[in-house]
Amino acid sequence: MFESPGISYATLWPVLLVLGVACAGVVVEAFAPRAARFNAQVSLALAGLVAALAGTVAVGAGTALGASTGEGALVIDGPGVFSQGLVLLVSLGGVALFAERRLDNGVSAFAGQAAALPGTSAERTASQRGLEHTEVYPLMMFAVGGMMLFCISGDLLMLFVALEVLSLPLYLLTGLARRRRLLSQEAALKYFLLGAFSSGIFLYGLALVYGFAGSMSLAEIGEAAAEDGSSPLLLLGIGLMAVGLLFKTGAVPFHSWTPDVYQGAPTPVTAWMSAATKIAAFAAMLRLFYVAFGAEGEIWRPAIGVVAVLTMLLGASFAIVQTDVKRMLGYSAVAHTGFLLTGLLGVQTDAFGSTQAVLFYLTAYGFATLGAFAIVSLVRGPNGEVGSLDRWAGLGRTNPWVGATFAVFLLSMAGLPLTAGFIGKWGVFAAALGAGQWPVVAVAIGSSIIAIFFYVRVIMLMFFTDAREDVATVSTPSYATSVVIALSAVATVLLGVIPGPVLSLLVDAGGFIG
């Protein structure tokens, strides 16, 4: 007889609240007058995320930490709850960027009518009427709910469901740019097709792992792997599941979508997606490899090491030749995936080990990339955002505060001292060295030196190059975007100068539980 699983709603209510807000947003779209939708959607999303963040903190500080629910399908442990909190923090910034309307003459960065073909009279009419898609807020909330589930998934089925819940809204959001519609739609189609293939491969791997262990539970798979040793079924399953997760993080050779999607998506979507998706994907990857496949570490570590090396070298090398700032940051994200995979090669401990190092890196990278893309949205010309680096020449002289703030984010991504990125890189390199992965760390240091070149090149361009006649201008944003940029910059500097509180929080969070 089938017995319904026991569910601890007291520990899951932040996730349920986010998904409930997403459903409420759909109802608003269906019944509220068009004029009232924007304020209602923004208020709903912000209130839901703030309440969910408060609930996540309460769950993390409560006695439920370390428990599982839903017959082990969801695991409430320190790293999972920390990742959820981080996703909610960057999502709050994402809502603020989504709601920006001052930069584009009173409308948002999203298309007025997504169904209208680019260049048609229907599209022009939608723009003239000032229409915009407020459906982006419920879509975003569904994705956030999926990411929160992804962080705490304790079995294979929940892992797959969460992956799809977070992925499908991202495909749609990518194709909703108000300007450069064809580029946006092309990016969305490419993202969807490659994402669908990777999900299918992930599902094949999931089936093979289930066939080996006879269980969906990550903890029971780990026990089976430890007892029965390596099997072709398990190894093939690990490889196929890794493909799905490596695609989501943008690792080589599954990285090709990253620069195209980063460039084509509306910049607020790029800013939020680049941070939140990477946090959720790495939280799930850490749990999968340490809890379920930990006994096979001697087999998957060399393979992940090769992927990390290729990812760092390709991301850093290709970023050098980019002439568009969004594509440059896209290839930079590929390189950062390689650095994070370097941390994955370390050993999981309850003290400051691999898990803590990767989570700190994600914190540093999340704030830096959110702030960097927020600034990219301010640099504009007559036809909207200006991505061409040539037209950024002299921008730091005409707008020193914007140039200096962008430089802070770039220096953090480069991993220079007194920024969060330096502590993040130190952490993942130390974790990998502790596991004897010095060849990968040597390549990581070399890739970091290459990366410094293209980050510093942009800073030199802004401050030490004469401006062209058609230099881009910096538009004045609303308070929402200004607050996101300011808080991201403060966090980037504070985490580099005083990282102790966050490091202590990660140590107290401990490791994953089965």
Side-chain angles (χ1 to χ4, degrees):
M1 179 181 292
F2 176 78
E3 294 183 7
S4 60
I7 298 176
S8 172
Y9 294 103
T11 57
L12 292 180
W13 72 264
V15 182
L16 299 176
L17 176 65
V18 170
L19 293 174
V21 168
C23 294
V26 174
V27 174
V28 168
E29 283 300 314
F31 297 105
R34 182 182 292 277
R37 291 178 196 167
F38 175 79
N39 289 332
Q41 294 285 15
V42 173
S43 303
L44 255 178
L46 285 177
L49 290 173
V50 169
L53 182 60
T56 302
V57 172
V59 169
T63 57
L65 195 67
S68 61
T69 183
E71 301 299 324
L74 296 165
V75 182
I76 314 298
D77 54 14
V81 173
F82 183 89
S83 306
Q84 285 184 326
L86 205 51
V87 166
L88 290 168
L89 268 179
V90 299
S91 297
L92 276 169
V95 171
L97 298 181
F98 277 33
E100 175 61 61
R101 300 170 96 181
R102 184 181 289 183
L103 296 175
D104 220 343
N105 300 321
V107 291
S108 69
F110 300 98
Q113 191 173 2
L117 292 175
T120 61
S121 59
E123 186 192 35
R124 286 192 292 275
T125 302
S127 296
Q128 290 165 358
R129 291 178 59 196
L131 300 181
E132 57 183 308
H133 271 294
T134 46
E135 293 94 333
V136 295
Y137 299 98
L139 285 172
M140 179 190 192
M141 297 302 284
F142 277 121
V144 173
M147 291 172 187
M148 293 178 73
L149 286 174
F150 212 38
C151 294
I152 59 171
S153 295
D155 75 14
L156 298 178
L157 201 56
M158 183 57 70
L159 208 58
F160 180 72
V161 170
L163 176 66
E164 293 306 297
V165 172
L166 80 87
S167 297
L168 294 175
L170 294 180
Y171 304 146
L172 291 170
L173 289 169
T174 299
L176 292 180
R178 179 177 293 276
R179 297 180 184 272
R180 298 196 292 181
R181 293 280 313 285
L182 284 176
L183 191 67
S184 177
Q185 291 177 352
E186 178 190 339
L189 183 62
K190 182 178 288 186
Y191 195 17
F192 169 71
L193 291 177
L194 293 176
F197 280 125
S198 74
S199 292
I201 294 171
F202 182 85
L203 194 58
Y204 274 122
L206 185 154
L208 293 177
V209 172
Y210 175 73
F212 162 77
S215 171
M216 288 286 183
S217 166
L218 299 187
E220 293 178 9
I221 292 168
E223 292 171 4
E227 290 176 4
D228 301 339
S230 301
S231 115
L233 204 61
L234 176 63
L235 297 182
L236 190 56
I238 292 174
L240 293 178
M241 291 189 72
V243 168
L245 292 174
L246 290 174
F247 168 84
K248 198 52 68 181
T249 58
V252 172
F254 316 107
H255 67 286
S256 60
W257 62 272
T258 308
D260 293 341
V261 171
Y262 278 34
Q263 184 184 24
T267 302
V269 173
T270 307
W272 164 70
M273 178 175 64
S274 61
T277 307
K278 210 176 280 289
I279 293 166
F282 268 97
M285 187 182 284
L286 285 168
R287 185 184 301 279
L288 184 67
F289 278 89
Y290 287 149
V291 176
F293 305 143
E296 300 296 318
E298 296 303 318
I299 293 174
W300 60 256
R301 275 197 172 84
I304 293 292
V306 171
V307 173
V309 166
L310 293 176
T311 303
M312 288 183 288
L313 289 176
L314 187 142
S317 303
F318 277 45
I320 290 176
V321 297
Q322 301 305 313
T323 57
D324 184 280
V325 67
K326 288 176 77 174
R327 289 188 71 84
M328 187 203 77
L329 291 174
Y331 277 107
S332 161
V334 173
H336 283 287
T337 296
F339 296 132
L340 286 160
L341 289 174
T342 302
L344 181 67
L345 300 175
V347 179
Q348 183 194 11
T349 67
D350 286 341
F352 195 82
S354 176
T355 303
Q356 289 74 20
V358 171
L359 290 178
F360 187 90
Y361 197 110
L362 288 168
T363 308
Y365 177 75
F367 285 119
T369 193
L370 186 71
F373 277 110
I375 285 185
V376 169
S377 70
L378 310 184
V379 181
R380 309 179 82 82
N383 298 318
E385 292 173 7
V386 174
S388 173
L389 280 171
D390 288 345
R391 296 184 60 188
W392 282 52
L395 202 67
R397 296 181 183 180
T398 55
N399 298 274
W401 279 106
V402 171
T405 309
F406 194 60
V408 168
F409 296 134
L410 293 180
L411 292 175
S412 180
M413 291 184 195
L416 296 188
L418 300 181
T419 63
F422 173 75
I423 306 297
K425 282 192 176 177
W426 169 80
V428 295
F429 293 173
L433 276 177
Q437 301 287 336
W438 63 267
V440 181
V441 175
V443 174
I445 293 171
S447 300
S448 297
I449 294 171
I450 295 173
I452 287 173
F453 171 78
F454 62 79
Y455 290 127
V456 172
R457 182 188 63 175
V458 176
I459 297 172
M460 297 284 288
L461 188 73
M462 288 192 299
F463 287 98
F464 300 103
T465 304
D466 293 332
R468 297 174 12 162
E469 289 184 359
D470 60 344
V471 64
T473 58
V474 175
S475 299
T476 303
S478 67
Y479 288 117
T481 301
S482 302
V483 168
V484 171
I485 294 172
L487 290 181
S488 298
V490 169
T492 299
V493 175
L494 273 183
L495 288 173
V497 179
I498 315 172
V502 176
L503 294 175
S504 299
L505 183 63
L506 286 167
V507 170
D508 293 341
F512 293 105
I513 63 172

